[in-house]
Amino acid sequence: MNLKEIQTGYLDLLKGRRNSLDFKDEYFREVAESKNFRVLNDIVIYWRAHGIREYCAITSELLIKLDKFQEKVESFYRDINFSGYIEELGKTFLQYLSDDDDKLISFVSRFELALINVNLGSDKEYSIESDFEPDDIFRFILDNGKYPEQSIKKFLVIVSERLENFYTVEVKE
Amino acid sequence: MQNTFLGATYEFKNPSLLEKIYPYINYLEITPDSISTFDGKRSYIPNEIIDEIKALSADKKIVVHGVGLSIGSFDGYSEEYLNLLDSLYDKIDFEWHSEHLGYTKVSGESLGTMLSLPRTNETLDMICERVNEIMKRYNKEFLLENIIRIVPDYKSDFREAEFMNKISESTGCGFILDVYNLECDNYNHGFDIEGYIDELDLSKVKEIHIANGSIEDGFMLDAHCGTVMDSTIELTKKIINLPGNCVKLINYELLDEAIPLLGEDVIAEEYKRLNGIFN
């Protein structure tokens, strides 16, 4: 195998795109089944999780409460071409979750991304819709409140540097 | 024995720790990737940090050690990393710069880890060409470092030290010898440390890295999270006492994440101890 084939082989193994049976080369068949590879994979996920928890504290806390943190970090690692730079990685993770099927995860990741952008000096105003009462969400994440129930009302959360505490909540009729 | 000096990796997040270890170090090793920030479009090193490096350079020698160059990627090294290095090169007077002999990206995708290279003629030619480009671009001494391997190497044409020597013979680059990584490779794969050191051209080793890690699932990992083991210190002493070596700097590597676990006072004591041994 040449350098390109070897490196692409490792990439595909780590990203879960190929398994041992997909390789003709004996070396890769053995590596894919080895404890060494499992440990390497664990290290890779550990450091992504570490960076994400540090940078995306609110969303990480939500995912941990929902017992979905590990699953989401692993799928993010597999599916997304992320940057090695922590700030880029964190933002990409939040963008990745912005379209999550779980509306709670989608809202919180959008909200945190907007807060980060404002903190970094963005003068944009961000509007994020929520099917949940935002205070219920924050109580659930930060104060061990109960899981928020979907409301019959719709809420609009505005995030902007011009607002006190950087955000405000409006009820949409 | 060479006159060696102790250094510390610094990420500009713990000034109180820096103050405590300051009397024991002569060098500060800075990593462009770790001190950069991202503005939504590009990574850059903030001016405040550059000013701080300048201020520190009045008193301490500065060396630059990258992790994001990915010099071994088949599809090219990271221009983003070189842009960060450019911004330092223009403003900071550093002694030399270095990178790991490995790769972190493939086809533009981040692996999330650093992997070792197959030691083949194809790789040798590619690495030598890139080292030459980098040395021409910066006109500064450039060092390559041995990395830890978790998965065994792909079949190779050269022994590890033979491969390093060939790169240096062809390009004139020097080496960082990571002593703890050798110990990890020995623990994980039975790597022949004695044979490696016997064969490596020690006149090219300008810097040594020492660290400690952890044992996870039967593997010794370079987690950079502890005080230095006696075995690492003894091996380092042995190397710097070998004839022909040109080691100037012994850098004790510790991740920022390890600081609260060990505590600043314990870390300061460790620098004091290492200073007593190596300075």
Side-chain angles (χ1 to χ4, degrees):
Chain A
M1 289 173 89
N2 63 25
L3 187 62
K4 179 180 178 179
E5 289 166 335
I6 294 166
Q7 294 188 344
T8 307
Y10 285 126
L11 177 72
D12 287 351
L13 270 184
L14 281 164
K15 294 278 190 176
R17 294 169 191 157
R18 279 197 270 176
N19 63 39
S20 64
L21 297 176
D22 297 323
F23 288 95
K24 286 182 185 155
D25 190 286
E26 188 63 27
Y27 168 84
F28 274 102
R29 293 173 80 105
E30 281 178 15
V31 163
E33 297 292 334
S34 68
K35 184 178 169 189
N36 306 55
F37 178 69
R38 187 170 49 74
V39 168
L40 179 68
N41 205 42
D42 288 349
I43 294 168
V44 167
I45 297 299
Y46 171 85
W47 282 111
R48 297 298 79 69
H50 176 80
I52 285 166
R53 275 195 83 165
E54 195 174 283
Y55 196 78
C56 318
I58 305 171
T59 307
S60 295
E61 202 56 42
L62 171 71
L63 292 173
I64 289 164
K65 279 197 186 298
L66 298 175
D67 201 19
K68 288 185 173 173
F69 183 67
Q70 188 75 10
E71 170 199 324
K72 293 295 179 190
V73 172
E74 286 178 9
S75 63
F76 172 71
Y77 174 76
R78 276 198 315 272
D79 300 342
I80 301 295
N81 183 12
F82 57 87
S83 164
Y85 295 93
I86 172 66
E87 287 152 326
E88 270 183 89
L89 169 85
K91 282 187 162 194
T92 313
F93 183 68
L94 293 174
Q95 275 156 1
Y96 169 70
L97 293 179
S98 292
D99 296 324
D100 199 276
D101 291 340
D102 185 320
K103 287 181 176 174
L104 190 56
I105 295 173
S106 166
F107 166 75
V108 171
S109 57
R110 282 168 194 255
F111 174 71
E112 187 165 27
L113 185 58
L115 274 184
I116 288 170
N117 285 333
V118 164
N119 247 322
L120 286 171
S122 168
D123 57 4
K124 230 175 115 179
E125 187 175 278
Y126 299 85
S127 302
I128 307 143
E129 280 192 24
S130 172
D131 292 344
F132 303 87
E133 158 71 65
D135 282 345
D136 289 349
I137 297 173
F138 301 140
R139 268 193 294 274
F140 174 63
I141 297 172
L142 303 170
D143 295 331
N144 274 329
K146 66 180 174 69
Y147 183 84
E149 285 181 23
Q150 207 156 336
S151 169
I152 46 165
K153 294 178 198 164
K154 294 266 186 199
F155 300 87
L156 190 64
V157 179
I158 313 287
V159 180
S160 163
E161 63 169 358
R162 287 179 287 278
L163 296 167
E164 196 182 351
N165 298 325
F166 297 119
Y167 78 94
T168 188
V169 179
E170 295 172 3
V171 180
K172 284 179 80 177
E173 296 305 327
Chain B
M1 181 175 160
Q2 280 282 330
N3 284 326
T4 57
F5 296 102
L6 191 63
T9 305
Y10 187 52
E11 293 190 2
F12 298 87
K13 290 174 192 158
N14 293 284
S16 65
L17 175 63
L18 180 65
E19 198 179 324
K20 286 178 183 167
I21 66 174
Y22 208 72
Y24 312 121
I25 56 170
N26 295 80
Y27 284 80
L28 280 172
E29 184 157 281
I30 55 173
T31 295
D33 323 67
S34 303
I35 59 174
S36 66
T37 191
F38 181 67
D39 68 0
K41 290 181 187 133
R42 68 186 180 104
S43 294
Y44 68 99
I45 300 172
N47 284 332
E48 312 87 74
I49 289 187
I50 289 179
D51 289 344
E52 209 178 325
I53 300 170
K54 276 184 190 166
L56 290 164
S57 69
D59 209 20
K60 307 290 179 196
K61 289 182 176 175
I62 305 293
V63 292
V64 174
H65 183 53
V67 293
L69 176 61
S70 198
I71 195 169
S73 296
F74 82 89
D75 53 330
Y77 49 55
S78 166
E79 284 297 333
E80 194 178 6
Y81 172 79
L82 291 184
N83 289 338
L84 292 177
L85 191 53
D86 285 347
S87 65
L88 283 178
Y89 184 73
D90 291 340
K91 294 169 190 158
I92 306 290
D93 184 21
F94 53 86
E95 302 289 309
W96 61 77
H97 68 118
S98 57
E99 247 297 344
H100 303 81
L101 183 57
Y103 61 101
T104 57
K105 281 187 152 190
V106 176
S107 303
E109 283 193 77
S110 179
L111 292 166
T113 187
M114 188 178 286
L115 295 178
S116 65
L117 288 159
R119 296 178 303 280
T120 60
N121 280 305
E122 181 195 9
T123 310
L124 181 65
D125 291 346
M126 183 191 77
I127 293 292
C128 288
E129 188 184 326
R130 292 178 182 180
V131 170
N132 281 327
E133 284 170 13
I134 288 164
M135 289 173 75
K136 195 172 164 194
R137 178 164 172 162
Y138 295 107
N139 195 26
K140 284 266 183 196
E141 202 165 354
F142 180 63
L143 316 181
L144 283 173
E145 179 182 5
N146 59 302
I147 66 169
I148 179 182
R149 289 157 288 192
I150 301 295
V151 292
D153 283 337
Y154 192 78
K155 38 191 178 271
S156 288
D157 302 330
F158 302 99
R159 293 178 299 281
E160 287 86 347
E162 182 186 23
F163 193 67
M164 297 294 277
N165 289 345
K166 284 201 174 290
I167 295 170
S168 181
E169 282 162 17
S170 169
T171 65
C173 79
F175 306 138
I176 292 178
L177 180 54
D178 191 313
V179 171
Y180 182 70
N181 283 354
L182 295 181
E183 290 184 292
C184 289
D185 280 347
N186 176 263
Y187 186 95
N188 299 332
H189 306 288
F191 181 68
D192 176 13
I193 297 176
E194 293 276 329
Y196 182 81
I197 291 168
D198 279 351
E199 188 174 8
L200 190 70
D201 181 355
L202 292 180
S203 72
K204 301 296 180 186
V205 180
K206 191 139 195 178
E207 180 176 345
I208 282 178
H209 280 177
I210 53 176
N212 199 353
S214 57
I215 308 278
E216 303 290 342
D217 221 353
F219 285 82
M220 190 189 269
L221 305 178
D222 61 338
H224 297 179
C225 61
T227 53
V228 185
M229 295 189 300
D230 289 346
S231 62
T232 312
I233 288 173
E234 290 310 312
L235 186 53
T236 304
K237 278 161 75 175
K238 182 182 166 184
I239 293 164
I240 61 176
N241 279 304
L242 287 170
N245 85 84
C246 70
V247 178
K248 295 270 181 252
L249 164 61
I250 294 170
N251 197 66
Y252 169 37
E253 296 187 292
L254 197 62
L255 281 184
D256 269 13
E257 284 82 355
I259 296 169
L261 302 174
L262 289 174
E264 291 187 1
D265 290 338
V266 170
I267 297 167
E269 273 304 309
E270 182 67 346
Y271 275 99
K272 186 179 178 183
R273 177 174 82 106
L274 296 170
N275 175 278
I277 297 168
F278 294 119
N279 267 22

